[in-house]
Amino acid sequence: MENSLFDLKGRTALVTGGGAGLGRKIAEVFAEYGADVAVCSRKVENCQETAESLQKEYGIKSKAYECNVGSEENVKKTVEAVIADFGKVDILVNNSGATWGENAESMPLEAWEKVMKVNVTGTFLMSKAVGNHMIENGYGKIINIGSVAGLKAEPPEVLNAIGYSTSKAAVHHFTRDLARKWAGYGLYVNAIAPGFFETKMTKHVIEQNADKIINKNPLKKLGDPRSLQGAALFLAGGASDYVTGQVIAVDGGASL
């Protein structure tokens, strides 16, 4: 695996929302391929359990941090702490996310603003803080987690969360625009747009609509964690050194 397209030895990754769900799966594959991994979220207990598990299973360095990605002050302190502990950040995964299910005509403003603050503002703040460090180093890989919901409009009976869908579309364009702005610094910015994977956030939707989602999917299945890990590993390592500004749908063809 050494010197392979996917080897991450000597790299340090920071994964937001890394204590559970897809964030944890991404943290795990980075550790599996040799990276040291910092994980952060508002619920630091989940991150602590993840960090301990990664260290034990893969023998890499891992540490947990509490971070509210919607707070610039909190983000700055977290990034400074990670750099102090690990020496650098080579890979950033903006995975922290929020959603709110509600009809568009009755969605409360505070719900809309909460989703935007975490999904869009949080992605910007973390990218800015880590990006400045990466620019100084002349290298960095930023991976934003979008969603197939930001690529197509789902019927309300499948997904009724207009704030979430809009925020993920914003993340996709943020990815493309930032990639263009930072390419000259040696930074790569890409996004993954997952389809329906079984996570805490999607549990209710899948429980209510699993058959409908699967039947409409060209591959006739829900997402499996290994597929998402493969996309993240590709974007984090040398295999993607000529790829930037892309939104890769990992959705079984649902966005076609």
Side-chain angles (χ1 to χ4, degrees):
M1 189 168 64
E2 190 173 353
N3 297 323
S4 78
L5 291 172
F6 304 102
D7 181 30
L8 298 180
K9 289 187 181 71
R11 300 296 190 189
T12 296
L14 170 57
V15 181
T16 74
L22 300 184
R24 176 163 180 160
K25 292 299 181 183
I26 292 171
E28 287 174 352
V29 76
F30 288 173
E32 180 183 345
Y33 280 77
D36 293 327
V37 184
V39 288
C40 70
S41 74
R42 285 171 296 177
K43 296 181 179 179
V44 72
E45 297 82 8
N46 290 343
C47 289
Q48 287 170 338
E49 196 278 324
T50 296
E52 290 170 5
S53 174
L54 295 180
Q55 289 190 124
K56 182 177 180 180
E57 184 166 355
Y58 301 106
I60 53 88
K61 179 178 179 179
S62 186
K63 192 169 181 179
Y65 303 83
E66 184 176 357
C67 184
N68 172 9
V69 296
S71 164
E72 185 166 24
E73 181 181 1
N74 203 183
V75 166
K76 284 181 177 179
K77 288 181 178 179
T78 300
V79 172
E80 287 171 359
V82 172
I83 294 170
D85 291 337
F86 289 83
K88 61 176 182 170
V89 177
D90 304 293
I91 303 158
L92 168 66
V93 180
N94 284 308
N95 169 73
S96 288
T99 189
W100 193 290
E102 182 60 84
N103 293 328
E105 62 270 24
S106 55
M107 175 172 277
L109 176 60
E110 58 267 28
W112 172 275
E113 290 178 337
K114 175 187 175 183
V115 171
M116 292 296 169
K117 188 171 186 178
V118 175
N119 296 0
V120 183
T121 302
T123 297
F124 162 69
L125 290 175
M126 190 61 74
S127 296
K128 178 184 175 184
V130 176
N132 274 291
H133 166 73
M134 289 177 167
I135 288 169
E136 289 180 4
N137 291 341
Y139 176 85
K141 299 245 176 175
I142 297 175
I143 304 168
N144 299 321
I145 304 303
S147 172
V148 67
L151 296 173
K152 58 178 288 191
E154 294 283 4
E157 60 269 20
V158 174
L159 183 66
N160 200 20
I162 194 167
Y164 177 80
S165 301
T166 303
S167 73
K168 291 303 185 179
V171 167
H172 297 163
H173 190 72
F174 174 81
T175 298
R176 289 186 285 264
D177 205 23
L178 192 63
R180 189 67 185 87
K181 303 298 191 289
W182 284 357
Y185 297 124
L187 274 61
Y188 302 76
V189 188
N190 292 289
I192 298 172
F196 282 100
F197 285 75
E198 293 190 60
T199 67
K200 183 178 179 181
M201 185 179 290
T202 62
K203 183 179 179 181
H204 177 72
V205 173
I206 290 175
E207 284 178 349
Q208 298 294 318
N209 301 287
D211 290 342
K212 190 179 298 183
I213 292 167
I214 291 169
N215 288 334
K216 286 181 63 179
N217 188 282
L219 292 183
K220 303 299 181 188
K221 60 182 180 180
L222 296 173
D224 64 285
R226 205 63 177 164
S227 295
L228 186 83
Q229 288 177 321
L233 183 62
F234 165 69
L235 293 176
S240 60
D241 279 354
Y242 200 48
V243 178
T244 196
Q246 301 306 303
V247 179
I248 299 176
V250 184
D251 66 350
S255 56
L256 296 175

